[in-house]
């Protein structure tokens, strides 16, 4: 009996509720640039106490596809209309705001601060010298831009998608074996 009501059980029994097939040109050529710079300094405040401080700047341009094969949706503010957006007009799609279809972040200043302290006393000196260290730093992760760009590359009009959904009580259920509607087998 297909679709027993528990999603995981349906999966284990081979009765998926829906399948999706998507295909298109898998040749994508993304390009982007990263600019990074930093400055740091040490201040030996006392013989046993040092402060390290600095700043790092990171700027990454959003990825662009050299053949302009990326697409996104532009949704109206009241969510009643939607328009396909590509880097250049293609079919029913309009040109986007930039070749990457979104803007980059260029205000990525990341401060750094660290301290090192050597406690006094004979227990903490010599061969077993102890140093207590602490630090703080901000970091920017720009790898999500690559994930977002690759998702936009596999969208219509540059890819074709077909989704099939199993209806409750369907006479030809979906199966994992072929991902499409199967003929009902007699038991």
């Amino acid at each position: 009996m297909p679709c027993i009501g528990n999603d995981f059980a349906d999966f284990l029994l081979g009765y998926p509720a829906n399948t999706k097939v998507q295909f298109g040109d898998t040749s994508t050529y993304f390009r982007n640039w990263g600019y990074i710079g930093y400055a740091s300094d040490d201040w030996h405040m006392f013989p046993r106490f040092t402060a390290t401080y600095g700043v790092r700047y990171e700027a990454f341009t959003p990825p662009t596809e050299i053949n302009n094969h990326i697409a996104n949706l532009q949704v109206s503010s009241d969510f009643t209309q939607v328009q396909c957006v590509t880097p250049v007009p293609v079919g029913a799609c309009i040109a986007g705001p930039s070749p990457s279809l979104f803007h980059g972040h260029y205000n990525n200043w990341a401060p750094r601060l660290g301290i090192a302290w050597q406690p006094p006393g004979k227990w903490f000196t010599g061969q077993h010298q102890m140093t207590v260290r602490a630090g703080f730093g901000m970091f920017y992760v720009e790898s999500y831009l690559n994930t977002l760009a690759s998702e936009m590359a596999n969208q219509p009009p540059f890819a074709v998608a077909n989704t099939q959904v199993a209806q409750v009580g369907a006479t030809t259920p979906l199966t994992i074996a072929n991902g499409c509607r199967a003929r009902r087998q007699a038991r």
Side-chain angles (χ1 to χ4, degrees), residues 2 10-11 13-19 164 166 172-185:
D10 287 344
F11 171 75
L13 291 171
Y15 301 125
N18 61 58
T19 60
Q164 296 186 11
T172 55
L174 298 174
T175 65
I176 291 179
N178 60 13
C180 300
R181 297 210 178 268
R183 294 188 192 118
R184 189 172 195 110
Q185 298 176 357

Side-chain angles (χ1 to χ4, degrees), residues 93 95 106 109 117 129 171 181:
C93 299
Y106 301 108
W109 292 95
W117 173 62
Q129 185 172 352
T171 58
R181 297 210 178 268

